[in-house]
C-alpha cells in the first residue's frame, strides 16, 4: 500500500477501550523498515485486527466488542483511512480476526464461538446481512474452553478452502469457499490435542502444510494439508519455549508467521515476551526450536513479515509499541532495529 508521498504504509490496530488510538497509519522506510507515524483514526471502536481488501483500495477492521461489528475504510488517501459506510453487525460477539475470500469478508467471533461472512459489494463496501456459522464443542481447560471460541480464519492458497481455528473446542473447522454464490459451506472438522487451545494458523508456501500455534500449551503443531480433499491431519509438534524456562504456565503464544522460502517460522510468546525461531523441514513435518529472542516489549499479540521477508514486526500490546527486527537470512534470528509507541497495539498490516 503506497502512500500519497510515495513509499509503503503500515496500519496498526489497537484497543481504543484500553487507551489505543484506533487505527494508526505509519510510513515504512524502504531501506531500513523503520516506521514513522502519520495519522490516527478512532472511527472504529477496538479495531483489534485489520486486513487489506482485494486490490488495496480498502482496509477492513473488526470491532472486537460485545455487539461485534466489521467496518470498511477507504484507502483513497492511504495516509488517512476513512469510513466507507457505517460498521455492520457480524451477529456474533467479540470478533477477533478476519479475512477476505470469495467475495466475502469473514470474521472469527471469539466470544460467541462462530464464523460470520459478509458479502462484499462491487465497490468494496459491506453488505448488511451476514451468514453466521456457529461452532460447537468445548475443552478441558476451565474458564477458557467452556464453549467454542473461534480465533482465526485463513484461506488456503488454492482459494478453495477456509480454515477456522477454534481455541475453545480444540479444533480446526474446514469450510469450502463457494465463489459463485459468495458463501461458506461446512466441509469438515479436525480435532487437535485436548487442552491445547489452537489460536492461529499459517500455511507453508508450498501449500501442503499448515502450522497451528497453541495458546494454552505453548506449542506449534505441523499439520498435513490436502487441498484436493480439504483435509487436515496433525503430525509433528514442538514447543515455543526453551527447555527449563519455567514459563510454561504463564505463557500464551499468539501469532505465527512463516517465511516465503519455507525455512523458518516465528511465533510470539506472550508472558515470556519473546519471539520463538523455528527451523522447518523443507519436505517433512519436522520442526526445531532454534532460539527465542526478546520481543522488544511486553505481551506480543501479533507478528507481521514485510513483503520482502527481510524484517519482522511485533505489536506489543501491554507495553504499547510496535518493534521491528532485521532477519538474518542464514539463521532466521531476528535482531531488534527500532520501535515506535503504539498504545494497546494489537496488529500490524504491511503493504
Amino acid at each position: 500500500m503506497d502512500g500519497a508521498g510515495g513509499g509503503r504504509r503500515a496500519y496498526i490496530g489497537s484497543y481504543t477501550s484500553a487507551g489505543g488510538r484506533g487505527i494508526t497509519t505509519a510510513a515504512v522506510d524502504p531501506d531500513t523498515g523503520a516506521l514513522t507515524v502519520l495519522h490516527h483514526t478512532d472511527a472504529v471502536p477496538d479495531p483489534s485486527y485489520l486486513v487489506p481488501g482485494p486490490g488495496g483500495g480498502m482496509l477492513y477492521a473488526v470491532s472486537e466488542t460485545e455487539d461485534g461489528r466489521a467496518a470498511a475504510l477507504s484507502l483513497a488517501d492511504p495516509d488517512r483511512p476513512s469510513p466507507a459506510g457505517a460498521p455492520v453487525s457480524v451477529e456474533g460477539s467479540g470478533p477477533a480476526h478476519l479475512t477476505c475470500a470469495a467475495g466475502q469478508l469473514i470474521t472469527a467471533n471469539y466470544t460467541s464461538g462462530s464464523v460470520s461472512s459478509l458479502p462484499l459489494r462491487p465497490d468494496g463496501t459491506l453488505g448488511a446481512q451476514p451468514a453466521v456459522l456457529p461452532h460447537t464443542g468445548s475443552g478441558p481447560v476451565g474458564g477458557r474452553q467452556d464453549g467454542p471460541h473461534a480465533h482465526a480464519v485463513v484461506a488456503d492458497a488454492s482459494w478453495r478452502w477456509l480454515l477456522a481455528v477454534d481455541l475453545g473446542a480444540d479444533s480446526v473447522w474446514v469450510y469450502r469457499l463457494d465463489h459463485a454464490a459468495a458463501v461458506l459451506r461446512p466441509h469438515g472438522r479436525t480435532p487437535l490435542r485436548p487442552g491445547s487451545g489452537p489460536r492461529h494458523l499459517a500455511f507453508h508456501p508450498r501449500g501442503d502444510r499448515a502450522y497451528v500455534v497453541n495458546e494454552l500449551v505453548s506449542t506449534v503443531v505441523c499439520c498435513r494439508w490436502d487441498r484436493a480433499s480439504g483435509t487436515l491431519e496433525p503430525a509433528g509438534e514442538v514447543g515455543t519455549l526453551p527447555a527449563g524456562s519455567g514459563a510454561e504456565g504463564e505463557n500464551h503464544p499468539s501469532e505465527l508467521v512463516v517465511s516465503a522460502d519455507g525455512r523458518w517460522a516465528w511465533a510470539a510468546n506472550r508472558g515470556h515476551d519473546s519471539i520463538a525461531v523455528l527451523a522447518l523441514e523443507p519436505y517433512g513435518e519436522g520442526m526445531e526450536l532454534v532460539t527465542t529472542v526478546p520481543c522488544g516489549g511486553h505481551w506480543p499479540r501479533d507478528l507481521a513479515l514485510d513483503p520482502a521477508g527481510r524484517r519482522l514486526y511485533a505489536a506489543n500490546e501491554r507495553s504499547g509499541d510496535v518493534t521491528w527486527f532485521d532477519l538474518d537470512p542464514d539463521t532466521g534470528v531476528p535482531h531488534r532495529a527500532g520501535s515506535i509507541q503504539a498504545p494497546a497495539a494489537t496488529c500490524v498490516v504491511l503493504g
Side-chain angles (χ1 to χ4, degrees):
M1 289 164 279
D2 292 320
R8 294 287 186 179
R9 297 294 181 257
Y11 300 99
I12 301 164
S14 63
Y15 283 126
T16 55
S17 60
R21 296 164 177 162
I23 300 171
T24 295
T25 305
V28 183
D29 187 284
D31 297 320
T32 67
L35 302 181
T36 302
V37 172
L38 301 173
H39 181 258
H40 309 288
T41 176
D42 60 1
V44 180
D46 288 346
S48 64
Y49 208 85
L50 313 171
V51 67
M58 286 285 185
L59 182 70
Y60 299 102
V62 294
S63 186
E64 192 181 338
T65 56
E66 184 175 351
D67 59 338
R69 296 178 180 273
L73 298 102
S74 170
L75 294 179
D77 179 352
D79 292 351
R80 304 176 71 87
S82 59
V88 174
S89 172
V90 300
E91 296 184 8
S93 182
H97 194 257
L98 78 169
T99 194
C100 293
Q104 307 161 76
L105 184 72
I106 304 161
T107 67
N109 308 319
Y110 178 81
T111 307
S112 56
S114 60
V115 169
S116 299
S117 67
L118 288 157
L120 292 177
R121 298 189 179 111
D123 63 358
T125 58
L126 298 175
Q129 293 298 322
V132 182
L133 298 97
H135 288 180
T136 58
S138 59
V141 180
R144 296 300 312 277
Q145 295 189 309
D146 298 332
H149 292 299
H151 214 306
V153 280
V154 182
D156 85 324
S158 73
W159 292 100
R160 295 177 57 198
W161 311 102
L162 180 100
L163 278 63
V165 184
D166 196 298
L167 186 151
D170 289 322
S171 296
V172 178
W173 267 258
V174 180
Y175 295 95
R176 185 166 63 85
L177 290 165
D178 186 331
H179 290 252
V183 296
L184 293 177
R185 302 196 184 279
H187 177 75
R189 173 182 176 178
T190 300
L192 299 180
R193 182 157 62 92
S196 57
R199 178 184 171 98
H200 274 258
L201 176 150
F203 283 98
H204 190 282
R206 198 174 54 247
D208 62 350
R209 298 288 184 271
Y211 300 91
V212 181
V213 62
N214 293 316
E215 178 173 334
L216 301 183
V217 293
S218 297
T219 66
V220 173
V221 59
C222 176
C223 301
R224 303 181 188 97
W225 169 244
D226 186 335
R227 57 187 167 190
S229 62
T231 55
L232 191 72
E233 179 186 1
E237 188 169 357
V238 68
T240 65
L241 295 173
S245 68
E248 287 81 357
E250 304 298 326
N251 189 65
H252 305 283
S254 55
E255 181 63 287
L256 176 136
V257 293
V258 178
S259 65
D261 61 8
R263 297 174 60 202
W264 312 104
W266 298 272
N269 282 313
R270 295 176 301 171
H272 194 249
D273 288 341
S274 65
I275 298 170
V277 183
L278 305 173
L280 307 178
E281 284 187 6
Y283 294 101
E285 293 85 41
M287 300 173 287
E288 179 186 359
L289 177 63
V290 176
T291 189
T292 60
V293 300
C295 68
H298 180 31
W299 212 250
R301 186 182 174 91
D302 189 44
L303 298 176
L305 280 169
D306 79 330
R310 297 183 299 169
R311 295 180 184 90
L312 182 70
Y313 294 78
N316 295 314
E317 180 183 349
R318 294 185 180 175
S319 55
D321 63 83
V322 172
T323 298
W324 57 93
F325 302 81
D326 295 326
L327 293 171
D328 187 313
D330 297 319
T331 66
V333 174
H335 298 278
R336 188 183 184 280
S339 68
I340 58 168
Q341 290 186 345
T346 54
C347 81
V348 186
V349 173
L350 296 159

